[in-house]
Amino acid sequence: MRQSQLFMPTLREVPADADVKSHQLLLRAGFIRQNAAGIYSFLPLGKKVLHKVENIVREEMNRAGSQEMMMPALQLAELWQESGRWYSYGPELMRLKDRHERDFALGATHEEVITSIVRDEVKSYKKLPLNLYQIQTKFRDEKRPRFGLLRGREFIMKDAYSFHDKQESLDETYEAMKDAYSAIFSRCGLNFRAVLADSGAIGGKDNHEFMVLSEIGEDLIAYSTDSDFAANIEMAPVVLREDRSSENLMELKKVETKHAKTIEEVSDLLQVSPSKVIKSLLYIADEQPVLVLVRGDHEVNEIKLKNILSAKEVELATAEETKEWLNAEHGSIGPVHSSKEVKVIADQAVPYMVNAVCGANETGYHYTNVNPNRDFECNETADLRFVVEGDLSPDGKGTIVFAKGIEVGHVFKLGKVYSEPMKASYLDENGKNQIMSMGCYGIGVSRTLAAVAEENNDEKGLIWPLSLTPFDVHLIAVNSKNAEQAALSDELYTQFKNDGFDCLYDDRPERAGVKFTDSDLIGLPIRVMVGKRASEGIVEVKIRKSGESFEVPVSELSSFIKNEWDKLKN
Ligand code: ATP
Ligand code: MG
């Protein structure tokens, strides 16, 4: 493509309201333009990259046995009423009426539509399993659209849905989708992890978010230094280190601690490390009081607590509730001589504490030399705390580190959450009516594009990986008015095309500086400059990522470029 013909409006200034790199650069390099908050046009360069992301997604989904189809973005409200989400989805769902006053929604996701299609068309176990996907525009009226394409109100998603008669079949498809996602994000050149996520009410370990490790990520993940273990901070299990101190058990003592209440104040006052203080927190779990104990240097993870107690709701007790159940104030409660009516549940590390400190259930007093199982009993011990950096990885390989992540994909076993209310059933081998099981698998296609831009740039502009670059080679006639340079450039343009490279040819009558600045900004992997030494048959080649540059005789250019391309692949 000749650049003189290309619609590629670049900007010199950083747009005022764009606060992350990918957003700034995609605007400046003429890949996208904003229409309204969270709503964008893809200009030709942006569309080319989007197309490449879509094709990678398509190839891997097809390879994994999913079939592409297309559903309407405009969806009848009745379907959403059947699943119940018309009422529960909230203002993110964009709703509208047609001329007959019938309610519609713009598709935020397509579980309802696909379930209605499959329910109507599939009646027998013989037609299962079925895995269907589409790549399509989604609409979500996000509360805070931001970071450009990363959180849009109109965006491109690949969404797949699978239908099964047997659990093993769902398990198998789930694994196949996870593998396909890994292949997709690897091909996009992203540093990502498949992260175990909270499944909320549905439960189970069958919910993974694919996260790109990034400074601007909105989610915090814990992953292993030496393996592919990764989990949402809320979900990451803690491995117990059973290292008990060899100290002799000393006699329980009540000490005056006056106004010291927090772990920090108490450990300062008594000159012990926070890891020697038992943090005691009274929770109300579905109306029942539970005294929760963790080490002073640890934090209670309420999601784990809720799961372990199988409670619908857990909440810290108010001052009044604490008084009512333990006859004490917040900062002075503890498990020693506490009310028998209050269940005590301790983090698994607590029984290993020796000569510890805890509140005495009396304002202004704490116990020292507290020894679990001697001075108090726990009803239950469990993994109740958040992981911290340096904890052992649960798979025994490496230690935990934290990172922020951008969610680019999500795989989830839905079970019968939609098929049950929407009555998607089939006849099994025995002619018995059964409800189908489902899985759903999403990828933010436009978000993936932005994540790639976010992770691949420098102060001059974007740096595209080979797999997604809008063009392969940037050919620049340094001075297009110079006949010799123009002639050689034209010749090379044809040569690149013949060699199978998609070449962007800057034939514009612009100053060299302008051309180079634009070239750095749009970030094609290889640049070829035809300048002063054209008369000697020598051109300059520059690699965008490394900044290396070479003077190459025209006769060797073809093989030189192929070789550099192959080097960049690895
Ligand atoms: P988030 O927590 O980021 O809001 P989500 O849990 O709502 O994501 P899903 O409903 O699982 O996302 O959608 C599937 C995929 O669609 C996500 O993994 C993400 O990559 C993408 N996605 C979701 N919301 C947006 C958005 N507003 N803009 C761009 N991509 C999005
Ligand atoms: Mg969301």
Side-chain angles (χ1 to χ4, degrees), residues 92 140 142 149-153 155-157 209 218-219 407-410 442-447:
E92 251 185 48
R140 291 184 185 180
E142 298 274 357
L149 300 179
L150 287 169
R151 186 169 295 286
R153 294 196 295 165
F155 58 96
I156 314 287
M157 195 200 285
E209 290 167 349
E218 294 178 323
D219 297 271
E407 181 192 323
V408 286
H410 192 180
I443 287 183
V445 174
S446 44
R447 183 181 282 186

Side-chain angles (χ1 to χ4, degrees), residues 38 85 89 92 108-109 111 138-142 144-146 148-159 181 185 209-211 218-219 406-412 440-448:
R85 284 208 289 186
Y89 208 97
E92 251 185 48
T109 170
E111 281 85 1
K138 293 280 187 280
F139 300 85
R140 291 184 185 180
D141 200 357
E142 298 274 357
R144 284 186 68 205
R146 60 182 195 146
L149 300 179
L150 287 169
R151 186 169 295 286
R153 294 196 295 165
E154 176 177 328
F155 58 96
I156 314 287
M157 195 200 285
K158 184 285 299 178
D159 45 329
Y181 277 34
F185 298 121
E209 290 167 349
F210 281 76
M211 295 277 186
E218 294 178 323
D219 297 271
I406 300 172
E407 181 192 323
V408 286
H410 192 180
V411 293
F412 197 99
C440 71
Y441 319 92
I443 287 183
V445 174
S446 44
R447 183 181 282 186
T448 299

Side-chain angles (χ1 to χ4, degrees), residues 16-128:
D17 53 350
D19 40 12
V20 296
K21 272 267 163 316
S22 54
H23 190 196
Q24 292 169 358
L25 290 169
L26 290 170
L27 285 168
R28 283 186 55 208
F31 283 61
I32 59 169
R33 280 296 179 268
Q34 191 186 77
N35 175 277
I39 303 175
Y40 292 86
S41 295
F42 289 85
L43 306 187
L45 286 178
K47 180 65 186 163
K48 279 194 95 173
V49 181
L50 187 69
H51 197 71
K52 290 196 174 182
V53 179
E54 288 178 2
N55 270 344
I56 290 176
V57 170
R58 202 168 264 128
E59 279 173 26
E60 297 301 333
M61 290 301 292
N62 292 347
R63 198 196 311 278
S66 192
Q67 301 172 51
E68 185 166 9
M69 60 181 288
M70 183 84 159
M71 288 177 268
L74 197 55
Q75 306 177 359
L76 260 181
E78 275 90 334
L79 287 177
W80 288 74
Q81 287 158 357
E82 263 188 69
S83 74
R85 284 208 289 186
W86 183 256
Y87 314 102
S88 62
Y89 208 97
E92 251 185 48
L93 186 64
M94 291 194 156
R95 299 159 209 248
L96 66 161
K97 286 186 193 296
D98 72 0
R99 64 169 72 204
H100 308 295
E101 291 290 305
R102 282 183 86 178
D103 284 316
F104 282 83
L106 288 177
T109 170
H110 279 70
E111 281 85 1
E112 282 79 0
V113 179
I114 193 81
T115 307
S116 81
I117 295 172
V118 173
R119 142 186 94 186
D120 293 345
E121 307 304 331
V122 176
K123 306 286 182 200
S124 160
Y125 73 96
K126 290 182 194 146
K127 300 271 191 238
L128 296 173

Side-chain angles (χ1 to χ4, degrees), residues 310-569:
S310 304
K312 284 202 203 66
E313 225 177 310
V314 297
E315 230 178 320
L316 267 178
T318 60
E320 294 76 54
E321 286 165 330
T322 310
K323 186 95 189 124
E324 179 191 335
W325 289 106
L326 295 173
N327 196 27
E329 287 178 30
H330 272 321
S332 49
I333 61 176
V336 180
H337 305 312
S338 74
S339 161
K340 292 265 178 302
E341 286 169 73
V342 178
K343 178 174 174 173
V344 178
I345 173 166
D347 179 67
Q348 55 187 351
V350 171
Y352 293 88
M353 295 174 81
V354 174
N355 300 329
V357 173
C358 73
N361 295 318
E362 187 180 335
T363 303
Y365 288 90
H366 278 75
Y367 285 114
T368 58
N369 302 333
V370 177
N371 287 292
N373 295 326
R374 182 192 73 180
D375 303 321
F376 68 90
E377 299 276 325
C378 297
N379 300 86
E380 196 178 341
T381 58
D383 168 17
L384 286 180
R385 70 165 170 97
F386 279 103
V387 276
V388 293
E389 284 190 296
D391 276 341
L392 297 173
S393 175
D395 60 5
K397 296 178 210 141
T399 53
I400 293 293
V401 282
F402 289 174
K404 288 190 202 148
I406 300 172
E407 181 192 323
V408 286
H410 192 180
V411 293
F412 197 99
K413 286 187 194 166
L414 290 168
K416 296 179 180 160
V417 181
Y418 294 93
S419 47
E420 188 110 56
M422 295 188 69
K423 304 189 178 61
S425 62
Y426 65 94
L427 293 177
D428 69 11
E429 294 98 308
N430 307 316
K432 227 179 120 203
N433 214 34
Q434 306 276 10
I435 299 289
M436 296 176 195
S437 290
M438 288 173 63
C440 71
Y441 319 92
I443 287 183
V445 174
S446 44
R447 183 181 282 186
T448 299
L449 184 161
V452 171
E454 188 64 39
E455 298 309 303
N456 296 280
N457 61 66
D458 62 12
E459 66 293 342
K460 290 181 186 155
L462 296 157
I463 306 174
W464 290 105
L466 302 192
S467 57
L468 298 182
T469 185
F471 291 94
D472 303 332
V473 174
H474 204 173
L475 172 64
I476 299 177
V478 177
N479 177 4
S480 321
K481 289 175 201 133
N482 176 301
E484 223 165 2
Q485 290 185 28
L488 179 56
S489 301
D490 284 352
E491 205 179 293
L492 292 178
Y493 181 45
T494 311
Q495 183 183 310
F496 287 135
K497 279 201 280 192
N498 291 341
D499 284 347
F501 288 107
D502 192 8
C503 178
L504 178 63
Y505 171 22
D506 194 348
D507 59 340
R508 298 174 301 166
E510 292 282 356
R511 284 184 297 113
V514 171
K515 293 186 174 189
F516 296 155
T517 307
D518 280 346
S519 175
D520 281 334
L521 186 57
I522 65 174
L524 307 185
I526 298 179
R527 182 204 287 181
V528 176
M529 291 160 280
V530 180
K532 288 211 178 76
R533 299 188 70 185
S535 53
E536 304 161 53
I538 289 182
V539 297
E540 192 185 340
V541 176
K542 195 164 179 192
I543 309 301
R544 177 68 180 88
K545 190 167 180 178
S546 64
E548 291 165 286
S549 82
F550 310 89
E551 305 248 281
V552 182
V554 172
S555 58
E556 291 165 24
L557 188 63
S558 193
S559 61
F560 186 87
I561 298 291
K562 280 181 202 155
N563 190 36
E564 286 302 316
W565 186 265
D566 287 342
K567 278 194 342 210
L568 282 170
K569 264 190 197 157

